Amino acid sequence: DTAVSQTPKYLVTQMGNDKSIKCEQNLGHDTMYWYKQDSKKFLKIMFSYNNKELIINETVPNRFSPKSPDKAHLNLHINSLELGDSAVYFCASSPGAGQPQHFGDGTRLSIL
Amino acid sequence: GQQLNQSPQSMFIQEGEDVSMNCTSSSIFNTWLWYKQDPGEGPVLLIALYKAGELTSNGRLTAQFGITRKDSFLNISASIPSDVGIYFCAGYNSGGSNYKLTFGKGTLLTVNP
């Protein structure tokens, strides 16, 4: 039983395209997150949502638009993809604020 | 923003050896977490620490929340080949948001059989 699941696992696309990544958690958690991991493996928070409400937007370009239809889902839509967007994107969830986060297996985005 | 200084950056050890890595910060943290990431997967939580001075074990892993609340260490005893991976410290800064987890840059562990 996958706790935090992301789709797709791999995404290869051309510069300028628009793409979406989906995330679902079956842990009953209230809080969900998106992270970007760069080529040096550094993990940086992008967005935090609590009960479908945006709590943190860590100065992410507005080409990135998260959407939370319910507290079990947090999807990430990216417009006008750029070369610098190539990275691994991780979704995570936690029971609430200040709690340990549980991560999905990542979506590897490659921009050609 | 707040940063976590994690060291060492990488370690190359022989199977059976003990390993120690640590994280320090100039800020006070409320919670310290240790994660392990295997290739192609997401970080997996190993140990969570909530109180200054707390010492917690998970099998061969032991982690401590520093008394000053500005540091934490992780020890792995009697390493085995499957311990290979990247270990991350992470924490919630007491002066920041509890919705923002700050990560160290990771320690890459290689175990020689």
Side-chain angles (χ1 to χ4, degrees), chain B residues 70-91:
Chain B
K70 293 182 179 181
D71 63 341
S72 177
F73 71 75
L74 174 71
N75 286 344
I76 305 173
S77 62
S79 59
I80 58 179
S82 62
D83 290 335
V84 163
I86 304 177
Y87 291 79
F88 290 100
C89 63

Side-chain angles (χ1 to χ4, degrees), chain A residues 9 31 33 35 37 41-43 45 48 50 55-56 58 90 97-105 108, chain B residues 31 33 35 37 39-45 48 50 86 88 92 97-105:
Chain A
K9 190 172 176 72
T31 314
Y33 313 83
Y35 286 84
Q37 186 173 47
K41 304 301 183 184
F42 184 57
L43 277 158
I45 184 73
S48 297
N50 189 60
I55 304 295
I56 287 182
E58 194 69 0
F90 286 100
Q99 297 294 310
Q101 296 180 20
H102 300 265
F103 285 77
D105 279 340
R108 283 134 194 89
Chain B
T31 302
L33 306 169
Y35 288 88
Q37 186 177 19
E41 298 182 11
V44 174
L45 181 69
Y50 300 101
I86 304 177
F88 290 100
Y92 289 105
S97 168
N98 274 339
Y99 292 98
K100 181 179 174 181
L101 191 59
T102 301
F103 277 82
K105 292 190 175 180

